[in-house]
Amino acid sequence: MSAENAQHAEATNGTDRIRTDVAHNARVWNFWLGGKDNYPVDRAVGEQVVEMFPGIGEVARADRAFLGRAVSHLVGDVGIRQLLDIGTGLPTGDNTHEVAQRLAPEARVVYVDNDPIVLTHAHALLTSSPEGVTTYIDEDARNARRIIETAAETLDFTRPVAVMLLGILNFIPDTEECRGIVRTLMDAVPSGSYLVLTHPTLDADVGGAGNQPAMDFWNANATPPITGRTRAEFLSFMEGLELLEPGVESCSRWRFPEADPVPQFGAVARKP
Ligand SMILES: C[S@@+](CC[C@H](N)C(=O)[O-])C[C@H]1O[C@@H](n2cnc3c(N)ncnc32)[C@H](O)[C@@H]1O
């Protein structure tokens, strides 16, 4: 790890903030993805959610596959070289910098998450190619201005940035607050930048109708609380931006129309 890549990870290793008595989203998401970075409490809640909503593992895998397709398009086809991935999650296969730097080794990636378990594993995200950079910021998405200030040590905000919020706005219950976060982030980046979003839904046309009991169970037993949103609410996060084809889709089907839908929307939009 270079000094630059390490700059935000050394302050605290996060272990003193980890709670093993309550399930945490980053760890349960890791469990659904088949990872080992989780505790018994996470597996117990994760298994119960699977019982109530058997498609959850498919949602998690589809979300990661969407990440791969979206980042590949933005870096490989559009020429984006800077990515700000907020709500990173625990390291897994094909993390954002790995997808990006495979196509453009000079790509610069800033990861942000507020879960201490992600901080303790951040070293696995700080494995940049020598030509590029990866850094990690331990911060809450609600502090969007502070994220921009810290990310500016790594990213040049006069040049296009892909702002990624995958599976995270659903942990901010107030829809207007989500819009404010997205606005703050997108106001900080220049024309030609992109917003990449995924978000769970209860909308029936993508299979979300049976999802409410599992979300209620989650909210009674795990943290942070989750909120599903409609297609219209999801679309409202991209107000003022130009949606790339195919628009708002189930993330499994975004540029992969042969897939079955999952109740998680995905979209990519360009700042004009
Ligand atoms: C469902 S996981 C998604 C991980 C990754 N983006 C993906 O798509 O695979 C959501 C992540 O968002 C993080 N998160 C939730 N609320 C957050 C907040 N207010 N600020 C920063 N990170 C947050 C969680 O810790 C977790 O790692």
Side-chain angles (χ1 to χ4, degrees), residues 179-245:
R179 291 196 194 99
I181 291 168
V182 173
R183 255 195 315 271
T184 301
L185 295 168
M186 294 313 290
D187 282 353
V189 296
S191 165
S193 293
Y194 287 80
L195 176 65
V196 186
L197 288 184
T198 62
H199 197 298
T201 184
L202 300 169
D203 283 9
D205 63 324
V206 290
N211 211 345
Q212 188 65 60
M215 285 195 187
D216 292 343
F217 174 82
W218 175 271
N219 290 341
N221 293 282
T223 188
I226 193 164
T227 304
R229 291 198 167 91
T230 64
R231 184 181 291 262
E233 286 169 324
F234 181 80
L235 188 59
S236 77
F237 297 144
M238 283 160 289
E239 208 175 274
L241 306 177
E242 298 163 347
L243 266 177
L244 266 53
E245 286 299 323

Side-chain angles (χ1 to χ4, degrees), residues 25-26 29 63-64 67 85 87-90 112-115 118 139-142 166-168 171-172 224:
N25 168 258
W29 190 249
D63 176 278
R64 297 300 303 184
L67 180 155
D85 181 356
T88 305
L90 278 156
V112 183
D113 206 289
N114 70 345
D115 193 310
V118 183
E139 187 60 85
D140 195 297
R142 293 176 176 88
L166 270 55
I168 173 177
F171 294 114
I172 298 184

